[in-house]
Amino acid sequence: MPRGARMEAFVKTVCEQVRFKRAKPGIARELMDHMCDQQQAYLRQGMEEDEAEKRAVEQMGDPVTVGMQMDLAHRPKPQWGFFILTVGLLAAGIAVQGALFGQGDSDRLFVTLIAAALGGLGMAAAYFADYTVLARAPMGIYWGLLAAALLLYVLFPAEGGEAQRGTLLFLLFPTAYAGIVFHYRKRGYGGLMISFGFLAAGVLFCMWCFRIRMGFLCLFSGLLLLTLAVVKGHYGVKKRWALPLLYLPVAAGCGVFAFGYWQRLMTAFSREEGLGYLTAVTRQLLEGAALLGPGATAGSLGRLPELHTDYLLTFLIVRFGWLPFFLVLGLLALFFGYAVVRCLRQRGVLARMTAAAVLSPLLIETGFYLAANLGWMELSSLPLPLLSYGGAGLVLHLVLIGFLLCVFRCGSMEGPPPLACQTHAWIQLADGVLSVRFRKPRS
Amino acid sequence: MAIDKSLQAGSTSMLLLGLLAQQDMYGYQMIEELEKRSDHTFTLKAGTLYPLLHQLEEQGLLLSYEGTAEGARVRKYYRITPKGTEKLSEKKREWERYTTAVNRVLKGGSRNAAWC
């Protein structure tokens, strides 16, 4: 029998009993390593190689029984709680939009329902996807996303004040960037700087061709990923040098940016009404809101433009009262709070990074939207995930949430790629046996 | 003397947690160490060990990581978590209660036999 054939046959039978595909490489590798160790022990006792392999495999027990036991230990975890929260938020968004549009604008509600249905399919597809593709094809995903955005920019240039098509694609940028960070981890300061370069390229492209605020969203999300990677030691660099290396250029860039807007900001702050007209109107409307039911200023909601996209929460507060708003806020807090906790608990490096990459733009969007709708800042120009009106935006948000749940479902099974029985060292001494490898193993 | 497997079955996870409480180990090392420390009383098959290790890891009692064994060979090591340490303490207390109760019953039985 060819060398190692019995071991491979054993491992193959074990893995056939394991239903969850992603767990198989890790299981195969661990069992193979064990049999190699056992075989080595028998060889040291003077056994022949073939006999040693045969005994090593027999020692493992019945492969079908072992495989069934492994199957019990490796079941993906359905994320029913998150599904319910997602559906709850989606339903809340549809309900508020329904109240806003009324019977006179059923087309828009229809668009939301279609987008919700398509998004649901996208979410399901993402939920059953393999998030480790980010590690296997990081360059393809990163450049593919930027190429798609560039294509939309060239084919559908924005006219007048309309938003450039493809802007929302950058919601996927942090997730694509997570693959880059994962790819360059363990490469020291060089890897960190290259990763930063990829971030800068994507952010500047977004700011130049699409929307500055979306660029900042990508920047903050990317910096969060890099910071997480540095703090957790994935780059193998010292935090006290690496973090300033990251943040000083960003601070300098933001300073240059802020300098250009300094005069506008000073003028805005010096006005009695604060940051701007829309912020002032929002505050005036909120002052008239009731605890429950329409507020005194409900008739003046028309002063705010694009209620369905940009000021849905202000509409909710002024039209229905603070209590329904706090209910929605509670749902959002529960969703994000639980998601953040689950993200931090992920044991796998890629799982944690991917979860953080998906969550951060959702959190930033929500934060900006809340701030704008409560009169704390100017127009957000970013959507509120699952709640505000949007066709493509809603679909993308649901896909992102599906991907997040995919990580939560399978992240605990993340393991290193399978290795052969030998390591990548070309010369090694193990158990008194010196071996030299002349050919690089296939990965 | 071989020990009845039904006696071993309930205590295997406690033995593994006990081993890992002292140091991180990989699977093969655990089998060898268990056999050595128990003077060949406990001979655990790999086919029993690995599913159990994976279940304990799923329960959060252990965590695994890649480490380098002798000869630069990469291995999957296991480490006990704080939750695992708590579970071990609980199992030890259970075991002590159990063995104390069994010993009391057996001692009581031998005393009666002596009277007969």
Side-chain angles (χ1 to χ4, degrees):
Chain A
M1 215 169 184
R3 190 177 163 200
R6 284 193 189 88
M7 290 188 198
E8 282 170 11
F10 178 87
V11 161
K12 183 168 177 274
T13 309
V14 167
C15 289
E16 277 166 2
Q17 317 309 314
V18 178
R19 281 173 285 178
F20 190 54
K21 197 171 149 192
R22 228 164 290 160
K24 294 186 192 196
I27 291 170
R29 184 180 153 210
E30 195 173 19
L31 295 180
M32 191 63 102
D33 282 345
H34 183 97
M35 287 187 283
C36 286
D37 283 338
Q38 188 66 73
Q39 185 188 25
Q40 292 297 320
Y42 286 138
L43 288 171
R44 281 197 304 277
Q45 289 171 16
M47 221 178 270
E48 292 294 322
E49 192 174 342
D50 193 55
E51 182 62 23
E53 186 194 340
K54 189 176 161 204
R55 287 282 302 275
V57 172
E58 279 168 8
Q59 281 289 309
M60 300 295 285
D62 173 42
V64 172
T65 309
V66 172
M68 284 167 66
Q69 294 290 321
M70 286 292 197
D71 180 61
L72 285 175
H74 291 279
R75 295 259 172 95
K77 303 179 186 72
Q79 301 298 309
W80 295 117
F82 274 111
F83 274 125
I84 291 167
L85 278 171
T86 304
V87 169
L89 283 167
L90 200 53
I94 291 171
V96 177
Q97 286 178 47
L100 175 61
F101 297 141
Q103 286 174 353
D105 205 351
S106 54
D107 285 350
R108 280 186 171 170
L109 194 60
F110 185 66
V111 166
T112 298
L113 292 171
I114 295 291
L118 286 173
L121 289 172
M123 184 175 169
Y127 181 69
F128 289 108
D130 180 2
Y131 73 90
T132 60
V133 67
L134 289 176
R136 292 199 302 276
M139 296 299 162
I141 292 169
Y142 177 89
W143 291 115
L145 181 69
L146 294 190
L150 182 64
L151 197 64
L152 285 169
Y153 177 76
V154 166
L155 291 179
F156 303 103
E159 285 166 17
E162 67 175 15
Q164 172 61 53
R165 284 198 200 184
T167 303
L168 286 173
L169 267 185
F170 281 90
L171 286 174
L172 304 174
F173 177 83
T175 307
Y177 185 62
I180 299 290
V181 174
F182 187 78
H183 181 72
Y184 283 105
R185 80 195 195 291
K186 294 186 187 176
R187 297 194 197 190
Y189 289 99
L192 182 65
M193 288 297 102
I194 293 172
S195 305
F196 185 72
F198 275 97
L199 176 63
V203 166
L204 290 171
F205 173 54
C206 179
M207 286 183 171
W208 189 262
C209 299
F210 295 88
R211 187 162 268 175
I212 289 176
R213 208 157 282 191
M214 185 61 86
F216 272 113
L217 181 146
C218 295
L219 175 66
F220 294 147
S221 302
L223 276 179
L224 174 70
L225 289 177
L226 284 174
T227 307
L228 200 65
V230 166
V231 165
K232 289 285 181 184
H234 299 321
Y235 280 101
V237 296
K238 291 198 186 317
K239 279 177 268 195
R240 64 169 180 271
W241 298 117
L243 292 177
L245 263 179
L246 287 180
Y247 283 92
L248 284 175
V250 172
C254 290
V256 166
F257 177 82
F259 184 76
Y261 282 84
W262 185 251
Q263 195 178 15
R264 185 182 152 205
L265 282 170
M266 291 307 292
T267 312
F269 270 113
S270 68
R271 282 201 214 131
E272 202 180 298
E273 57 266 29
L275 277 174
Y277 169 75
L278 290 174
T279 314
V281 169
T282 306
R283 288 182 186 179
Q284 285 164 16
L285 289 170
L286 290 174
E287 275 167 17
L291 191 60
L292 191 63
T297 47
S300 306
L301 276 166
R303 292 171 67 195
L304 280 177
E306 308 294 335
L307 283 173
H308 59 304
T309 51
D310 297 328
Y311 289 99
L312 195 73
L313 292 181
T314 309
F315 165 77
L316 176 67
I317 295 167
V318 174
R319 181 69 182 78
F320 295 102
W322 285 100
L323 275 180
F325 165 73
F326 282 124
L327 186 66
V328 169
L329 192 64
L331 276 178
L332 282 169
L334 193 61
F335 181 92
F336 285 119
Y338 190 36
V340 167
V341 166
R342 290 290 301 275
C343 169
L344 294 174
R345 278 192 191 159
Q346 292 301 312
R347 290 198 297 264
V349 172
L350 182 62
R352 192 169 47 239
M353 229 177 261
T354 307
V358 170
L359 265 177
S360 54
L362 299 178
L363 277 166
I364 292 170
E365 281 181 303
T366 305
F368 276 133
Y369 199 93
L370 272 170
N373 277 239
L374 294 174
W376 296 340
M377 63 170 267
E378 261 187 88
L379 181 67
S380 164
S381 66
L382 292 170
L384 180 63
L386 303 178
L387 289 160
S388 65
Y389 174 82
L394 182 57
V395 173
L396 280 170
H397 282 126
L398 284 168
V399 167
L400 277 173
I401 290 171
F403 209 55
L404 178 70
L405 300 192
C406 167
V407 172
F408 292 162
R409 177 176 168 258
C410 315
S412 60
M413 278 163 246
E414 180 181 312
L419 290 175
C421 206
Q422 295 83 17
T423 66
H424 285 183
W426 66 274
I427 184 166
Q428 56 168 330
L429 176 66
D431 302 321
V433 176
L434 179 70
S435 58
V436 178
R437 184 172 44 77
F438 293 101
R439 191 174 56 189
K440 197 176 168 186
R442 268 177 265 153
S443 54
Chain B
M1 182 180 74
I3 302 286
D4 186 342
K5 287 214 177 347
S6 63
L7 285 176
Q8 275 188 50
S11 55
T12 310
S13 53
M14 181 182 66
L15 294 173
L16 293 179
L17 291 172
L19 279 180
L20 292 170
Q22 291 159 49
Q23 69 176 93
D24 298 354
M25 292 184 196
Y26 56 94
Y28 184 76
Q29 191 182 5
M30 277 185 238
I31 289 179
E32 287 212 315
E33 200 60 29
L34 198 61
E35 212 173 308
K36 191 171 96 182
R37 292 194 199 184
S38 67
D39 196 23
H40 301 277
T41 305
F42 299 128
T43 311
L44 193 58
K45 275 200 156 140
T48 310
L49 169 74
Y50 288 105
L52 186 53
L53 284 175
H54 288 208
Q55 279 167 26
L56 292 174
E57 193 179 3
E58 271 302 296
Q59 290 165 17
L61 304 179
L62 304 178
L63 60 87
S64 62
Y65 63 93
E66 295 250 285
T68 311
E70 319 80 39
R73 183 176 285 183
V74 177
R75 284 276 178 269
K76 187 176 176 184
Y77 278 77
Y78 291 88
R79 176 181 291 172
I80 194 167
T81 60
K83 191 178 170 188
T85 308
E86 260 182 62
K87 188 73 179 178
L88 174 62
S89 304
E90 190 190 306
K91 281 194 172 286
K92 274 183 181 173
R93 283 194 297 272
E94 267 177 33
W95 179 255
E96 275 155 26
R97 264 205 312 272
Y98 176 76
T99 50
T100 307
V102 166
N103 287 336
R104 276 209 196 115
V105 168
L106 291 177
K107 278 180 188 160
S110 62
R111 204 163 39 231
N112 288 339
W115 277 105
C116 297

